[in-house]
Amino acid sequence: MPIFNLSSFSKRLKDKEWGIRCVAYNNQSNRLAVSRTDGTVEIYNLSANYFQEKFFPGHESRATEALCWAEGQRLFSAGLNGEILEYDLQALNIKYALDAFGGPIWSMAASPSGSQLVVGCEDGSVKLFEVTPEKIQFARNFDRQKSRILSLSWHPAGTHIAAGSIDYISVFDVKSGSIIRKMVLDRQHLGVTKSRCIVWGVAFLSDGTVISVDSVGKVQLWDSATGTLVKSHLIANADVQSIAVADQEDSFVVGTAEGTVFHFQLVSVTSSSSEKQWVRTKPFQHHTHDVRTVAHSPTALISGGTDTHLVIRPLMEKVEVKNYDAALRKITFPHRRLISCSKRRQLLLFQFAHHLELWRLGSTLATGKNGDTLPLSKNADHLLHLKTKGPENIICSCVSQCGSWIAYSTASRFFLYRLKYEHDNISLQRVSKMPAFLQSAVHILFSEDSRKLFVASNQGSLHILHLLEGSFKHLHTFQPQSGTVEAMCLLAVSPDGNWLAASGTSAGVHVYDLNHLKLHCTVPAYNFPVTALAIAPNTNNLVIAHSDQQVFEFSIPDKQYTDWSRAVQKQGFHQLWLQRDTPITHISFHPKRPMHILLHDAYMFCIIDKALPLPNDKTVLYNPLPPKNESDVFLRRTAHAFKISKIYKPLLFMDLLDERTLVAVERPLDDIIAQLPPPIKKKKFGT
Amino acid sequence: MAALEEEFTLSTGVLSAGPEGFLGVEQSDKADQFLVTDSGRTVVLYKVSDQKPLGSWSVKQGQTITCPAVCNFQTGEYIVVHDQKVLRIWNNEDVNLDKVFKATLSAEVHRIHSVQKTEPLVLFQRGAVRGLEALLAEPQQNIEAVIPDEEVIKWSEFFMVFKQPVLIFITEKHGNYFAYVQLCKSHSLSKYTLLLGKEEKSVKPNFTARVDGKFISLVSLSSDGCIYETLIPIYSSDTEKNHRLIRALMLKAVVSGAARNGTALTILDQDHVAVLGPPLPASKECLSIWNVKFQTLQTSKELPQGTSGQLWYHGEILFMLHGKCLTVIPYKCEVSSLAGALGKLKHTQESDPHSMPHFVDWETCSGYDLGSYSADQSRTLRRKKIETNLQPEVPGSKQLLSIIKNDSEKHIEVELRKFLAKSTPDFHTKIGDVVAGLLGRCKAEPSFYPRNCLMQLIQTRVLSYSLCPGLMEIALEHTDVQMLQLCLQQFPDIPESTTCACLKLFLSIGDDCLRDININMESVFDYSDTIQDEKKEMKEQTEIVQNGFSPEDNSCSKDDQQLNKKPGDAAKETTSFPVTSCPVTPKRAALINAVLHSAYSEAFLLPHLKDIPAKHITLFLQYLYFLYLKCSGNATMTLPGISPPTLSQIMDWICLLLDANFTVVLMIPDAKRLLLNLYKFVKSQISVYSELNKIEVSFRELQKLNQDKSNRGLYSIEVLELF
């Protein structure tokens, strides 16, 4: 019965807004691109259990206003700095940035064929770009409008474009670039005339209907051939900010500033007639704040907004099998680790967008029984606040086990610091003259003895540096497999320093022999991306967690899966285990108990005891603490390998500091909400 | 509920609105098309739904249109008068007004009036009236002067009353107003003096009128901001000239008294008037719809850019000049909102906890032809088809309908049973046809009442009131309480009037009638067995009440004592009102319970409840009170039995009955004690709830204290025993 002293850290992250600005769904690869208000772009793989498999760090001057996929799977973004960016989804960096010369860009849309892009600018210009295999090429300006172009939509045939501006919608002919129709909106809202009516979104349907959503709270359908208003739905007292139409054009979704998402469907007027009309069918209220963006995948409505949640709401009638995919998903936390820990000095390093914080954990002399909160003899100390230079966000960071090294990387620079501890003071010294190849890292890891630094660069190579007192030496670089440039996202090193495991976003896990500096073996490929990696002490078993909630144990010396892993695969995981909707982000081991694996996701942590029998679907997976008075027989019968605790949630990080101490970092949702701007007040039942 | 729909504007590019606004907006012979005449030279024909003009005509420079263009509904031509004497008649094909038919008249025209189904009338400035045909036959005919010299026509209106054209016009002379009513066919003219308030003299009042039976209701908006109504008889009985008419206040202070101009009003329908003008001295102009009957403001719309003080109402559309634009506001007066009509939902207690959540699939709902059917469903459909093919001898609905028309009741029953045995895809509609056929025959032949067939059909559970509106009426006629009970249980959409009619029947029907009828009794538990328990419960009940409130501060205890002082009275009351036993027979109780279960909307039920005789009201109240006592007797606040009335249903009905008949109940001596008891109960309930509130607050405080303990703060060290 291990009893842990648990250092629980409720982190009040004074971070910048992390709200979602836009989403773009790619039907071909079933991936979703999400951009945040700080410019971060994340790629979610909807096929792989909604795992956030890639991300591009944000940039202070880059406020992304629009995202779109073109030419199949090329991702473009445009923002208020007036630039169009293309992302390299393999190397995880920005391929190029191109100034559109039209002031801030508010909107962007790719043509149905994907070969052209249009952007709408602050100065009222609509610019057409041709997508070439390597870059994009400016083609033409359309007729300049009076005010900024806030939304754009292509006709599915690619012949016309609808552009939403302030107070009116214009329809352009793509061939001539001239405006052929102008539709003026009514600024009235429930009898009150607003100073202006902003068209937040437009959608062009193949029958020539243009759907607009505006700041007055209306969803309006226009006939673009005659320029007349066909139908108007007043759905909100506040702005309707986003719209997305299904590919079949039989349903669309809009999001409002009140946090409501409305589903509209094309429904026959009567059961027999072929005449159809748009009907507001379902309202969803999954957000507390503005829904800034929506997307419509073939089977789900996707919405995101200021309240930082990405909500994926499956359409029940489209879901064929009633499995876990039919459940609502709410993604709030990043699917990667932002916290690292120095076990020896009991330090925690927190990574924020633009700074790092180093904290020393407190201590206690008291003891107690289960559930007690012990009096602190020393509180946690904020040791260091390290601000980055430049506008770029931090990609990754790490503190060494001895606590005397800190490394972090932004998109263009790599920083390494040496920390010295003198009683209560610490001194920080930057290690200068980083080599040219160390520009940007996707993952950084220190070896257990803090003498080696492993850096996964975004070019797919792995660098090994030997750390000396205040300087370093480049030992070796593992070049990527020939032909691939895929970046390695996760690293794990064995405690004895002999093995290094690295995994990319899609390819399998590679294990390198650090003594001989060569590739040792590759773990058999698996369909789903890796979410966490760790190598157990002594046995050198590599534990791999995948986004479909499978956990594998691979013996590095034997180059094969362990017997336990095979047994697990044979029996299968418990159904409830597979139905968790956040990935495992960290795995650790107990130094004295080789049979234990500790792992956690955002809502639970689990100790897997390999010695106990595996649970089957009939047993209760989550059985907190059995009552003391039960007989041994009962305990033995109900005990199984998965010991799950849900005390701390949302859980950002949990690790074992020593044999008897666990550290957990919680991020209470209330704190996040408290930092957001207040939502639009809604009247409830006469209060 | 009267409502203004979303407004839109018509572009007034070619029209020039003078300081007085437009001359007029008139209906054309096609729906949705209106003639707008400006104060200068132009007439425009608009198609309102498209917001665009269809045609525009102007008179020559130097000429001025003096009377708004109207449409001759008989010929479809348009008529306008310019320079007061020149009549122009044209139609849609004409381009230039100069080249169209022209007639110069001998006298000055005030207005041309045109309504549907009759020829237009020309009203001359001196009060003479001519039909257009007669006038065109001889344009230069002599026009007599009808009104005295100094009188000036201020306003005129034209009605058709029982196919008789009636023209009313108001004249003014030195601040005195006169009304003339001209019956065009009999050529009789009556003159009335309108008695207006003293303050009217300086300002021109606004008029609008409506025919109300044998009177013209002349509604005027006077300068003190109030609306007055004057009733003018259409057919004046005596020929004595110069009647005086008194006006009656209709609505008080609808517009600010200070508003000198920019006010207008028009009657929308029997109960609603639209008023244009600033509601307060300082506020902007508003278009408001007032309900005259209830004296309430229904809706209003601010018009910040100001208006010309003109308002036209044609065919459910209001027109006004808002700023520089001609604004069009469609007006709708619906009987009630959907939510109001639906009212309280039927209370279903037996909700299946295992039922799957039901998602509405709009696509599969919308038809079979969408191809979204899964293979499974199409297979079952196919199987059904095969089944129907296998049973060709079963009569189709058409055959059945012909049988219903002619055959005997027995034969119909047999055929119907066969028909019900199979199920067809459009079962719903076919059942509806069958019921309609049966009811049609019932109406035609009073002796024909196929009770068993109808019962069978109701039990299919696919019928609703709207599918067979006549069914319950016929059952009511035949006092078939069993069928009514079944209908009440099965139909989700019974109108309140029918529910109430059922209730009346159930309360009034004699016990001896009920004795032989077989009634579903599942909603009634056996009252006779529980009387002993009841008495015990009653005792407990009073004890509980004692906990809820102290009798010392009970204001009605005095009345109680007074009542008790009169032993004779009290004895009578206890005998006439035995609370502890059920006041109605179990069969009647079962019928009433069916009514209690039915869905209703309070607003629509209340007026019908007033029609129930006082005797039955008391009986019903006694029964409800009895149910309430039974209900509150146990801890779960429910009655025993299968689908008994719920507490909230009982309470709602008690409230409804008292609301509808309070004065009546107050007058009945039998009900006095009942009311007192109810009052006591309500009072005790209030005090119980206030105590509960106090407890709730203390619990919340305790919870807060507990939370403080569990709140971990920024950093803490805890002991955790995992396993």
Side-chain angles (χ1 to χ4, degrees):
Chain A
M1 292 234 181
I3 297 176
F4 291 101
N5 273 347
L6 194 119
S7 293
S8 143
F9 220 113
S10 271
K11 194 68 199 82
R12 302 236 156 79
L13 303 177
K14 296 277 182 295
D15 210 349
K16 276 200 168 171
E17 263 186 69
W18 186 242
I20 292 174
R21 179 61 195 92
C22 36
V23 299
Y25 174 72
N26 187 326
N27 209 348
Q28 232 169 328
S29 59
N30 199 21
R31 280 181 168 77
L32 185 74
V34 175
S35 83
R36 306 261 177 190
T37 39
D38 65 347
T40 308
V41 173
E42 296 160 355
I43 312 282
Y44 290 85
N45 186 348
L46 302 194
S47 309
N49 218 357
Y50 307 92
F51 180 60
Q52 179 197 321
E53 57 177 14
K54 292 166 191 173
F55 85 101
F56 300 93
H59 194 283
E60 257 178 5
S61 67
R62 236 175 26 217
T64 312
E65 281 292 322
L67 266 182
C68 72
W69 298 87
E71 282 269 282
Q73 304 193 18
R74 286 169 69 180
L75 180 65
F76 295 90
S77 81
L80 295 183
N81 62 351
E83 285 180 339
I84 305 172
L85 274 67
E86 181 173 354
Y87 296 89
D88 187 335
L89 297 176
Q90 285 294 312
L92 302 186
N93 58 11
I94 287 158
K95 233 185 206 169
Y96 55 85
L98 191 88
D99 199 325
F101 296 108
I105 299 174
W106 290 96
S107 52
M108 177 166 63
S111 69
S113 64
S115 59
Q116 287 169 319
L117 282 180
V118 279
V119 294
C121 307
E122 170 76 22
D123 65 354
S125 59
V126 177
K127 292 166 193 280
L128 183 73
F129 289 84
E130 296 284 346
V131 181
T132 61
E134 282 308 310
K135 271 194 103 164
I136 53 170
Q137 178 106 43
F138 175 72
R140 191 171 65 244
N141 267 325
F142 287 1
D143 285 359
R144 175 99 161 251
Q145 299 302 302
K146 269 180 286 184
S147 48
R148 59 177 72 145
I149 306 293
L150 287 147
S151 47
L152 284 167
S153 175
W154 286 76
H155 187 274
T159 51
H160 293 87
I161 290 172
S165 184
I166 292 168
D167 287 339
Y168 66 90
I169 304 162
S170 25
V171 178
F172 293 97
D173 182 44
V174 176
K175 221 171 239 169
S176 64
S178 58
I179 178 165
I180 59 164
R181 203 69 67 207
K182 201 162 170 181
M183 295 171 284
V184 182
L185 280 92
D186 187 7
R187 290 185 296 206
Q188 287 268 342
H189 174 74
L190 300 173
V192 183
T193 305
K194 298 209 168 176
S195 62
R196 57 190 184 164
C197 175
I198 302 164
V199 183
W200 286 118
V202 286
F204 215 139
L205 305 186
S206 43
D207 64 353
T209 305
V210 173
I211 309 170
S212 70
V213 298
D214 56 41
S215 61
V216 170
K218 282 182 199 155
V219 176
Q220 291 179 311
L221 283 90
W222 306 80
D223 184 351
S224 70
T226 58
T228 47
L229 179 65
V230 179
K231 183 105 182 128
S232 176
H233 297 266
L234 181 67
I235 58 166
N237 286 322
D239 298 29
V240 185
Q241 293 185 314
S242 45
I243 178 168
V245 183
D247 286 344
Q248 288 84 29
E249 297 190 355
D250 57 351
S251 84
F252 69 87
V253 56
V254 298
T256 72
E258 293 166 329
T260 320
V261 171
F262 288 102
H263 189 206
F264 282 77
Q265 282 175 286
L266 194 61
V267 173
S268 294
V269 179
T270 58
S271 62
S272 52
S273 74
S274 62
E275 190 194 341
K276 291 188 161 192
Q277 65 180 27
W278 287 103
V279 174
R280 190 175 85 189
T281 51
K282 292 171 220 136
F284 301 114
Q285 179 89 45
H286 297 302
H287 295 274
T288 53
H289 291 66
D290 302 30
V291 179
R292 297 295 300 271
T293 176
V294 287
H296 197 311
S297 84
T299 56
L301 308 180
I302 299 157
S303 56
T306 313
D307 61 358
T308 74
H309 300 300
L310 178 68
V311 175
I312 299 164
R313 176 74 171 75
L315 294 169
M316 285 309 170
E317 67 264 21
K318 303 271 168 107
V319 179
E320 276 150 28
V321 196
K322 204 162 183 290
N323 64 358
Y324 202 56
D325 281 344
L328 170 83
R329 289 295 179 105
K330 209 169 192 178
I331 301 169
T332 310
F333 297 101
H335 290 164
R336 59 205 151 87
R337 199 148 56 88
L338 299 175
I339 295 153
S340 52
C341 142
S342 153
K343 292 182 182 174
R344 234 164 289 161
R345 279 199 183 267
Q346 307 225 326
L347 301 174
L348 282 182
L349 182 72
F350 296 96
Q351 176 192 326
F352 297 82
H354 290 284
H355 70 270
L356 297 171
E357 279 182 25
L358 189 67
W359 287 73
R360 178 161 42 213
L361 300 177
S363 57
T364 184
L365 300 169
T367 54
K369 61 180 191 307
N370 184 27
D372 282 357
T373 302
L374 303 177
L376 297 177
S377 58
K378 190 160 89 54
N379 205 341
D381 277 343
H382 187 179
L383 294 182
L384 188 68
H385 185 100
L386 193 60
K387 268 187 80 77
T388 59
K389 297 178 178 69
E392 292 168 328
N393 286 11
I394 298 172
I395 301 175
C396 57
S397 62
C398 193
V399 61
S400 69
Q401 291 296 349
C402 64
S404 42
W405 296 92
I406 286 178
Y408 73 89
S409 170
T410 67
S412 62
R413 286 174 86 187
F414 184 88
F415 299 88
L416 181 64
Y417 290 92
R418 174 96 176 133
L419 281 155
K420 285 208 175 95
Y421 300 84
E422 286 149 10
H423 306 292
D424 276 347
N425 299 327
I426 59 165
S427 61
L428 187 73
Q429 185 195 357
R430 177 158 176 214
V431 180
S432 52
K433 289 190 228 117
M434 296 310 291
F437 59 81
L438 269 183
Q439 273 188 346
S440 169
V442 183
H443 196 95
I444 308 168
L445 191 68
F446 289 95
S447 66
E448 199 77 4
D449 57 4
S450 304
R451 292 179 61 184
K452 278 179 187 152
L453 171 67
F454 307 101
V455 179
S457 82
N458 57 10
Q459 297 306 317
S461 47
L462 285 174
H463 306 291
I464 303 170
L465 306 176
H466 189 66
L467 299 173
L468 305 163
E469 188 68 26
S471 70
F472 63 89
K473 202 172 87 193
H474 178 221
L475 271 184
H476 185 73
T477 297
F478 289 116
Q479 290 304 333
Q481 242 74 3
S482 57
T484 62
V485 284
E486 196 194 53
M488 291 291 163
C489 300
L490 286 168
L491 295 176
V493 67
S494 67
D496 58 12
N498 293 336
W499 310 102
L500 176 70
S503 124
T505 51
S506 59
V509 181
H510 303 289
V511 181
Y512 297 94
D513 185 337
L514 292 177
N515 292 331
H516 302 94
L517 297 175
K518 67 178 177 69
L519 183 69
H520 176 67
C521 64
T522 301
V523 179
Y526 189 69
N527 286 340
F528 289 89
V530 177
T531 66
L533 271 182
I535 300 174
N538 307 323
T539 57
N540 281 334
N541 286 338
L542 173 65
V543 179
I544 311 162
H546 290 277
S547 71
D548 63 342
Q549 311 296 3
Q550 296 288 346
V551 178
F552 293 96
E553 194 187 37
F554 183 83
S555 166
I556 294 174
D558 300 343
K559 297 189 186 179
Q560 60 175 359
Y561 288 116
T562 62
D563 293 340
W564 179 80
S565 184
R566 283 168 207 276
V568 169
Q569 288 305 313
K570 208 169 159 194
Q571 188 181 335
F573 280 90
H574 194 280
Q575 204 183 333
L576 292 176
W577 176 267
L578 297 177
Q579 285 178 357
R580 291 177 303 114
D581 57 2
T582 51
I584 288 166
T585 49
H586 187 60
I587 302 169
S588 55
F589 304 95
H590 195 283
K592 291 285 163 61
R593 292 167 192 266
M595 295 310 274
H596 288 184
I597 305 170
L598 272 84
L599 22 80
H600 79 85
D601 67 13
Y603 296 101
M604 61 108 216
F605 73 91
C606 173
I607 298 175
I608 299 179
D609 188 344
K610 292 189 280 181
L612 287 173
L614 291 165
N616 58 25
D617 281 351
K618 287 193 193 81
T619 48
V620 186
L621 179 70
Y622 172 59
N623 50 348
L625 204 58
K628 287 257 159 60
N629 50 9
E630 292 290 352
S631 67
D632 276 1
V633 184
F634 177 82
L635 288 179
R636 219 169 299 136
R637 210 175 52 227
T638 54
H640 58 75
F642 289 77
K643 310 290 178 193
I644 293 172
S645 165
K646 298 185 180 176
I647 299 175
Y648 303 97
K649 57 189 174 184
L651 192 59
L652 285 196
F653 177 75
M654 172 164 260
D655 204 352
L656 205 64
L657 284 180
D658 57 45
E659 281 167 45
R660 300 193 62 78
T661 316
L662 272 170
V663 61
V665 180
E666 247 184 327
R667 173 91 202 253
L669 262 181
D670 297 345
D671 290 354
I672 303 178
I673 289 161
Q675 285 175 39
L676 294 174
I680 290 176
K681 272 261 170 345
K682 269 204 282 185
K683 215 172 160 171
K684 271 186 194 158
F685 307 115
T687 49
Chain B
M1 191 64 189
L4 293 173
E5 291 185 8
E6 197 173 321
E7 64 168 60
F8 51 93
T9 57
L10 300 176
S11 66
T12 50
V14 287
L15 294 170
S16 58
E20 292 287 296
F22 288 144
L23 273 182
V25 177
E26 292 288 336
Q27 239 167 335
S28 96
D29 56 334
K30 291 186 191 70
D32 195 34
Q33 296 186 7
F34 296 88
L35 285 163
V36 179
T37 313
D38 75 357
S39 51
R41 303 192 294 128
T42 314
V43 178
V44 178
L45 179 68
Y46 279 103
K47 189 165 167 63
V48 166
S49 59
D50 288 358
Q51 303 184 33
K52 64 179 183 192
L54 295 177
S56 158
W57 299 273
S58 295
V59 295
K60 260 198 295 192
Q61 194 104 38
Q63 298 174 334
T64 347
I65 295 177
T66 51
C67 153
V70 295
C71 178
N72 184 343
F73 290 102
Q74 289 179 322
T75 61
E77 292 167 325
Y78 308 126
I79 312 156
V80 75
V81 176
H82 65 83
D83 300 313
Q84 302 192 316
K85 278 184 176 176
V86 187
L87 206 69
R88 294 280 187 176
I89 300 179
W90 80 102
N91 59 25
N92 265 332
E93 280 78 53
D94 293 316
V95 181
N96 196 335
L97 268 193
D98 270 345
K99 294 185 179 149
V100 301
F101 176 84
K102 172 181 173 183
T104 310
L105 307 175
S106 62
E108 288 159 338
V109 176
H110 174 72
R111 251 197 97 159
I112 303 175
H113 284 283
S114 175
V115 297
Q116 302 266 3
K117 291 176 192 164
T118 180
E119 66 164 334
L121 285 183
V122 181
L123 173 64
F124 290 91
Q125 288 193 351
R126 296 266 49 89
V129 178
R130 291 284 185 279
L132 187 71
E133 300 294 319
L135 195 64
L136 290 181
E138 198 189 336
Q140 284 297 324
Q141 63 180 270
N142 190 33
I143 305 294
E144 76 280 5
V146 173
I147 54 173
D149 264 358
E150 284 177 310
E151 283 184 24
V152 180
I153 298 179
K154 286 290 176 191
W155 174 87
S156 61
E157 184 69 82
F158 181 40
F159 304 103
M160 288 297 282
V161 185
F162 307 121
K163 293 188 181 166
Q164 155 113 276
V166 176
L167 190 82
I168 175 171
F169 54 93
I170 307 270
T171 61
E172 189 239 15
K173 180 188 175 188
H174 306 311
N176 295 317
Y177 286 85
F178 305 97
Y180 291 84
V181 177
Q182 166 98 50
L183 300 179
C184 296
K185 271 194 184 150
S186 59
H187 296 286
S188 73
L189 181 75
S190 321
K191 183 179 180 180
Y192 303 93
T193 306
L194 295 180
L195 293 180
L196 302 175
K198 286 277 180 294
E199 75 287 353
E200 311 297 317
K201 307 283 170 177
S202 55
V203 194
K204 92 170 192 205
N206 282 289
F207 294 102
T208 179
R210 181 175 70 82
V211 174
D212 187 5
K214 287 187 174 177
F215 289 91
I216 292 171
S217 152
L218 180 73
V219 177
S220 59
L221 175 64
S222 68
S223 60
D224 58 351
C226 301
I227 293 178
Y228 296 92
E229 186 186 30
T230 315
L231 287 178
I232 306 172
I234 296 172
Y235 313 102
S236 71
S237 47
D238 48 75
T239 49
E240 189 200 327
K241 290 274 158 109
N242 222 349
H243 309 273
R244 303 181 139 241
L245 290 172
I246 310 274
R247 61 179 192 175
L249 184 64
M250 201 175 190
L251 275 175
K252 241 185 181 170
V254 288
V255 292
S256 152
R260 291 276 141 166
N261 43 24
T263 59
L265 90 163
T266 181
I267 292 186
L268 300 173
D269 55 40
Q270 205 178 333
D271 296 332
H272 295 93
V273 291
V275 181
L276 193 68
L280 293 168
S283 67
K284 283 178 181 160
E285 285 186 40
C286 254
L287 173 69
S288 2
I289 306 290
W290 287 82
N291 187 322
V292 178
K293 204 168 172 186
F294 301 115
Q295 308 265 315
T296 49
L297 177 65
Q298 297 279 310
T299 174
S300 90
K301 193 165 219 149
E302 197 169 286
L303 303 163
Q305 293 166 40
T307 66
S308 63
Q310 287 169 302
L311 187 64
W312 295 275
Y313 178 64
H314 295 294
E316 304 205 315
I317 301 176
L318 284 160
F319 297 86
M320 73 209 65
L321 200 60
H322 180 208
K324 289 265 173 252
C325 300
L326 181 63
T327 300
V328 178
I329 307 181
Y331 159 82
K332 265 235 171 91
C333 181
E334 282 162 15
V335 180
S336 62
S337 67
L338 182 63
L342 287 176
K344 285 221 163 53
L345 275 179
K346 214 166 191 172
H347 190 86
T348 44
Q349 258 191 334
E350 56 280 306
S351 62
D352 187 5
H354 302 292
S355 65
M356 292 288 287
H358 182 67
F359 298 101
V360 180
D361 182 352
W362 292 95
E363 275 166 18
T364 47
C365 279
S366 58
Y368 299 107
D369 52 337
L370 282 160
S372 57
Y373 258 55
S374 68
D376 247 15
Q377 279 165 310
S378 59
R379 213 174 300 135
T380 52
L381 267 184
R382 217 173 298 137
R383 202 181 305 137
K384 271 184 190 165
K385 267 184 204 154
I386 292 162
E387 277 168 11
T388 48
N389 288 341
L390 285 173
Q391 299 173 310
E393 72 277 6
V394 174
S397 63
K398 272 188 192 154
Q399 279 164 282
L400 185 63
L401 282 176
S402 70
I403 290 166
I404 285 168
K405 267 187 198 138
N406 307 311
D407 280 10
S408 68
E409 218 177 300
K410 263 267 144 37
H411 188 209
I412 294 174
E413 213 177 311
V414 173
E415 291 299 323
L416 183 69
R417 204 163 291 152
K418 275 189 209 163
F419 174 74
L420 290 178
K422 61 165 189 171
S423 61
T424 50
D426 50 351
F427 191 59
H428 267 79
T429 48
K430 286 198 176 144
I431 288 273
D433 290 344
V434 170
V435 175
L438 283 172
L439 294 179
R441 194 169 162 196
C442 283
K443 266 177 202 155
E445 287 175 51
S447 60
F448 178 78
Y449 185 57
R451 190 160 177 277
N452 290 338
C453 294
L454 290 173
M455 293 287 261
Q456 253 178 22
L457 284 168
I458 297 168
Q459 270 157 346
T460 55
R461 289 174 181 265
V462 296
L463 283 184
S464 59
Y465 182 86
S466 39
L467 212 53
C468 47
L471 177 60
M472 286 185 79
E473 273 72 13
I474 285 172
L476 278 169
E477 270 172 38
H478 289 84
T479 55
D480 187 347
V481 287
Q482 191 187 353
M483 171 125 61
L484 287 175
Q485 186 195 22
L486 200 61
C487 289
L488 283 167
Q489 283 166 354
Q490 301 282 351
F491 293 177
D493 55 347
I494 300 170
E496 285 76 3
S497 57
T498 312
T499 313
C500 210
C502 293
L503 179 64
K504 253 193 246 179
L505 177 67
F506 294 162
L507 289 169
S508 60
I509 193 167
D511 278 339
D512 43 338
C513 295
L514 285 175
R515 203 168 302 143
D516 307 326
I517 301 172
N518 178 28
I519 288 171
N520 180 4
M521 302 280 287
E522 66 177 16
S523 66
V524 183
F525 60 99
D526 197 355
Y527 297 116
S528 54
D529 284 359
T530 50
I531 284 176
Q532 285 308 311
D533 296 346
E534 246 167 53
K535 280 186 178 154
K536 228 165 42 188
E537 276 172 347
M538 270 301 288
K539 261 185 201 161
E540 284 167 10
Q541 184 66 41
T542 43
E543 275 162 29
I544 290 163
V545 168
Q546 297 289 338
N547 280 337
F549 74 107
S550 55
E552 278 80 36
D553 60 66
N554 184 1
S555 59
C556 69
S557 60
K558 218 194 248 172
D559 305 334
D560 243 0
Q561 285 157 11
Q562 275 174 356
L563 277 172
N564 293 336
K565 270 177 201 164
K566 296 180 211 160
D569 270 19
K572 212 165 81 191
E573 259 154 329
T574 43
T575 49
S576 71
F577 181 58
V579 186
T580 46
S581 70
C582 181
V584 296
T585 58
K587 277 190 177 169
R588 198 191 297 279
L591 293 174
I592 295 174
N593 284 355
V595 174
L596 295 187
H597 275 304
S598 67
Y600 65 86
S601 173
E602 287 178 14
F604 295 106
L605 190 62
L606 271 177
H608 298 293
L609 283 179
K610 288 185 181 156
D611 302 340
I612 301 176
K615 191 174 81 181
H616 296 144
I617 292 278
T618 356
L619 181 68
F620 190 28
L621 266 181
Q622 279 171 3
Y623 175 62
L624 288 171
Y625 181 59
F626 164 76
L627 286 182
Y628 172 73
L629 282 185
K630 298 294 295 177
C631 239
S632 49
N634 64 17
T636 53
M637 300 289 239
T638 51
L639 289 167
I642 307 157
S643 68
T646 61
L647 184 65
S648 59
Q649 278 170 345
I650 296 164
M651 289 313 290
D652 285 343
W653 272 94
I654 291 180
C655 296
L656 270 173
L657 269 183
L658 289 177
D659 273 351
N661 299 296
F662 189 70
T663 43
V664 178
V665 174
L666 216 55
M667 303 301 286
I668 306 170
D670 291 358
K672 208 174 222 170
R673 193 173 161 98
L674 176 71
L675 282 181
L676 269 174
N677 278 328
L678 282 171
Y679 172 72
K680 265 198 261 177
F681 264 106
V682 171
K683 200 162 175 188
S684 62
Q685 290 281 328
I686 290 171
S687 45
V688 166
Y689 278 111
S690 75
E691 292 302 315
L692 280 176
N693 274 335
K694 282 181 207 161
I695 295 172
E696 190 196 354
V697 172
S698 355
F699 274 131
R700 207 175 289 153
E701 284 303 314
L702 279 175
Q703 203 178 5
K704 246 185 227 165
L705 284 175
N706 207 23
Q707 259 174 4
D708 285 343
K709 239 181 234 172
S710 68
N711 197 357
R712 280 189 279 267
L714 185 62
Y715 182 76
S716 64
I717 297 180
E718 290 162 29
V719 182
L720 188 65
E721 188 179 332
L722 281 176
F723 53 88

